Amino acid sequence: MMKRIGVLTSGGDGPGMNAAIRAVVRTAASYEIDVLGIRRGYAGLLDEETVHLGPRTVANLIHRGGTLLGTARCEEMKTAAGLRKAADNIGKFGIDGLIVIGGDGTFRGAQELADVSGVRVIGVPGTIDNDLWGTDATIGFDSAVNTAVEAIDRIRDTAEAHERLFFVEVMGRTRGFIALSVGVAGGAEDILVPEVRTDLEALSASIRERMAAGKRASIVVVAEGDDAGRAFDIAEKLGHGLVMDFRVCVLGHIQRGGAPSAQDRLLASKLGAAAVRALVEGRTGVMVGLISAKVVETPFEETWVTDKRLDTELLYLMKVLAR
Ligand code: F6P
């Protein structure tokens, strides 16, 4: 019988994490399970920073960005001593199950903690990057894409007015999911992602061809982890050969904040509830995700080992639509 569960958010925050916390707390309440919030991710687990969460504590939270619990990237958790301390604190807090909301780093920590402490752990995918196998989308991805598209719409106005080329950098340290969705939805002329080698000569030629065909303004979306470098580097390398006025805009952490989209709130509500159910039904070591509208559970390791394929066909579609 589960009496008390812990919940934490860890790694980069994303819109919808609060909606997931709310869903965890209120679903747990429906089973008469107590919820202990752990502040600042694994750092708070090590430093014993906790807060009791009840249905009223999570009122007015569904629409807020950030995370009520705070988050951190915790190096100590990667050490044997850190893991031991975390396991001891789990015992101290009287937690029978733990729900971790975050990305692959969060799940690696969760897997190790489960191995060392024996506590049951369930993961909820919360990262704007959408780089986890086992779910069509991660919580925060849709909101981040919408925020970036809104920014691109604005950039387009000024790009058109001045007949300029804009390099717009979006997040995605290792993967191009955000860049691809943002580029297609924002009507970009080129999209550079880490998964596809960037040929700067070809990029320069395509920009010049578009100019020759009468297109006076262009938007190139660059994933921050692109193999050719960051947006400023790429602009620098290409700039002189372009014979076109250009500017660079790095959207950065703007993409991580703000109210979650309706889609992220829905996803967070479904997955937060599913995580509690998984614990109640005795499961551990898995991430809950949504694939084709169905809740699925994927072993932690698979979420980062199995490659989530980027739909590169969309790059061709973008090219066709950008002519
Ligand atoms: O993992 C999410 C993410 O937003 C990445 O896209 C980005 O590279 C990174 O976090 C930024 O991390 P930090 O919050 O440490 O600046």
Side-chain angles (χ1 to χ4, degrees):
M1 210 15 209
M2 195 105 331
K3 287 219 169 64
R4 174 181 288 174
I5 62 176
V7 61
L8 60 80
T9 49
S10 160
D13 65 338
M17 279 187 161
N18 275 327
I21 296 169
R22 169 184 180 269
V24 165
V25 171
R26 292 194 172 164
T27 307
S30 76
Y31 289 102
E32 294 179 9
I33 297 171
D34 243 23
V35 180
L36 195 67
I38 298 163
R39 297 195 40 80
R40 297 172 48 243
Y42 293 120
L45 177 57
L46 296 174
D47 296 342
E48 301 181 38
E49 288 181 47
T50 60
V51 53
H52 278 278
L53 299 176
R56 296 280 64 77
T57 332
V58 293
N60 261 320
L61 199 59
I62 195 164
H63 61 301
R64 291 186 200 272
T67 157
L68 166 83
L69 291 171
T71 184
R73 301 190 196 273
C74 178
E75 286 306 311
E76 197 184 343
M77 191 65 184
K78 295 178 186 157
T79 66
L83 267 176
R84 196 57 269 157
K85 193 167 163 198
D88 289 348
N89 286 348
I90 292 278
K92 229 191 227 177
F93 299 160
I95 288 172
D96 323 292
L98 180 66
I99 293 174
V100 297
I101 305 169
D104 67 321
T106 305
F107 298 160
R108 284 172 209 256
Q111 181 63 66
E112 292 188 335
L113 184 61
D115 293 344
V116 171
S117 69
V119 70
R120 281 193 251 158
V121 191
I122 301 293
V124 175
T127 162
I128 64 165
D129 290 346
N130 197 24
D131 56 352
L132 292 168
W133 173 261
T135 189
D136 290 339
T138 54
I139 298 165
F141 174 66
D142 183 64
S143 308
V145 166
N146 278 297
T147 300
V149 167
E150 195 186 314
I152 286 187
D153 292 347
R154 289 166 195 258
I155 289 169
R156 180 177 294 288
D157 290 344
T158 173
E160 287 288 338
H162 282 267
E163 301 190 339
R164 277 175 176 156
L165 163 68
F166 266 85
F167 294 92
V168 182
E169 184 181 293
V170 296
M171 276 188 165
R173 206 172 4 205
T174 56
R175 303 300 313 263
F177 291 103
I178 295 178
L180 189 59
S181 292
V182 165
V184 175
E189 275 71 24
D190 280 291
I191 304 172
L192 311 184
V193 291
E195 291 85 346
V196 179
R197 201 183 72 78
T198 296
D199 179 343
L200 290 182
E201 288 286 310
L203 177 61
S204 176
S206 85
I207 293 168
R208 277 184 273 115
E209 267 165 38
R210 280 197 303 270
M211 275 186 72
K215 229 180 188 190
R216 311 307 306 172
S218 271
I219 290 174
V220 179
V221 174
V222 183
E224 66 173 318
D226 188 66
D227 57 300
R230 305 285 296 250
F232 273 106
D233 306 326
I234 293 171
E236 183 110 319
K237 284 179 203 157
L238 287 187
H240 306 298
L242 284 179
V243 290
M244 184 179 189
D245 198 15
F246 66 90
R247 293 288 187 273
V248 177
C249 181
V250 177
L251 298 183
H253 292 78
I254 288 170
Q255 296 158 95
R256 289 244 294 260
S261 65
Q263 200 162 308
D264 272 331
R265 296 181 202 192
L266 257 170
L267 182 65
S269 301
K270 287 180 184 173
L271 296 185
V276 175
R277 271 199 309 274
L279 276 180
V280 168
E281 289 166 12
R283 292 187 290 283
T284 182
V286 294
M287 177 195 85
V288 290
L290 209 63
I291 298 181
S292 304
K294 290 223 160 36
V295 173
V296 288
E297 294 173 6
T298 304
F300 277 140
E301 203 178 329
E302 274 182 45
T303 66
W304 69 81
V305 166
T306 311
D307 184 46
K308 186 176 193 172
R309 211 180 66 80
L310 189 77
D311 182 5
T312 43
E313 302 252 311
L314 276 178
L315 290 175
Y316 298 108
L317 176 66
M318 177 272 306
K319 276 282 167 207
V320 171
L321 301 185
R323 69 189 58 238

